[in-house]
Amino acid sequence: MNSSILQTKNIIFSYGQKTVLHSISMDITRGEFIGIIGPNGSGKSTLLKILGAVLIADSGKLYFKEKNYLDYNRKQLARSITWIPQEHPMVFPFKVSEVVLMGRHPYLSAFAFEGDEDIEIARSAMERTQTIQFAERNFNEISGGEKQRVVIAGAIAQEPELMILDEPTSALDIKYQIQILNILKQLNEDKNMTVILAM
């Protein structure tokens, strides 16, 4: 029987004087595929950032596998939870394969380089997302849909239990929307990965 993987209790968050999240409580079971739907400005991105430990709530409790987020260190959370934002700005000219390998960072000690196992995990993630054919191309030179698949490949290489995505199909044509949602569905079914996404 699947157990609870994520719980929030009375989460409140404000930007200055404006409260955008009002006492949000939910209980998500391992292996669920959850969609958060709402208009722009309704607080979807803010909620996902809190769930992904990018923002800290003003008040309320947040639990991952029935343990308070505050009891985990950053590396522990990074191995278990991945958060994918809407935009993927990349200042330096990284290759696609290098971007995917960044997903292995939580498993490396300081100043360590990726080993054969990390490279194989990244390769498998690129195969699953059909991005291996442009592994040697510059990330900034590929299309928006291809970038989104590369970023998801990096998240898969991280081997998380929980994947959080902020509007992963926005600004993409229907072909890429279907591809990305199919990839997420397969991850959910094949790996029992919990997926939460805003639409």
Side-chain angles (χ1 to χ4, degrees):
M1 184 175 177
N2 283 353
S3 56
S4 174
I5 191 169
L6 184 69
Q7 254 187 332
T8 70
K9 292 185 178 179
N10 300 318
I11 293 292
I12 296 173
F13 186 87
S14 302
Y15 292 106
Q17 298 299 311
K18 183 181 180 184
T19 302
V20 292
L21 299 178
H22 303 261
S23 297
I24 303 294
S25 297
M26 59 184 176
D27 191 345
I28 295 173
T29 301
R30 184 185 301 277
E32 282 194 289
F33 195 118
I34 303 289
I36 298 176
I37 300 172
N40 290 337
S42 60
K44 300 188 304 295
S45 295
T46 300
L47 176 59
L48 293 189
K49 286 177 181 177
I50 289 172
L51 300 182
V54 177
L55 290 176
I56 298 174
D58 297 334
S59 64
K61 299 287 186 181
L62 187 58
Y63 299 93
F64 178 66
K65 296 195 292 188
E66 302 181 353
K67 182 176 171 182
N68 194 303
Y69 265 45
L70 299 176
D71 293 334
Y72 291 92
N73 63 45
R74 298 295 298 184
K75 183 166 275 193
Q76 287 173 322
L77 282 178
R79 288 178 178 177
S80 300
I81 302 172
T82 186
W83 174 74
I84 300 176
Q86 288 185 48
E87 301 294 330
H88 314 296
M90 197 69 67
V91 177
F92 299 103
F94 290 108
K95 292 179 181 178
V96 164
S97 57
E98 293 171 330
V99 173
V100 177
L101 264 176
M102 289 176 190
R104 300 302 299 163
H105 178 73
Y107 297 92
L108 304 177
S109 56
F111 308 112
F113 291 97
E114 298 87 356
D116 291 342
E117 182 182 2
D118 300 305
I119 292 168
E120 183 52 40
I121 289 170
R123 168 177 280 277
S124 175
M126 285 189 284
E127 288 174 347
R128 178 178 280 272
T129 54
Q130 299 173 32
T131 54
I132 198 162
Q133 65 268 31
F134 41 84
E136 295 308 305
R137 288 180 60 188
N138 188 316
F139 179 80
N140 287 330
E141 294 174 353
I142 60 178
S143 73
E146 290 166 343
K147 283 181 179 174
Q148 191 68 289
R149 280 155 53 207
V150 169
V151 172
I152 291 172
I156 294 169
Q158 191 176 322
E159 298 185 313
E161 297 172 75
L162 170 62
M163 186 179 288
I164 301 168
L165 307 99
D166 190 0
E167 301 199 30
T169 60
S170 65
L172 300 181
D173 63 35
I174 190 67
K175 171 188 170 184
Y176 285 126
Q177 290 183 35
I178 292 168
Q179 281 182 343
I180 286 164
L181 291 174
N182 279 337
I183 290 166
L184 296 176
K185 181 183 176 185
Q186 288 171 0
L187 287 170
N188 175 252
E189 292 177 350
D190 298 348
K191 294 180 175 291
N192 199 35
M193 186 184 292
T194 308
V195 178
I196 305 173
L197 73 161
M199 298 290 284

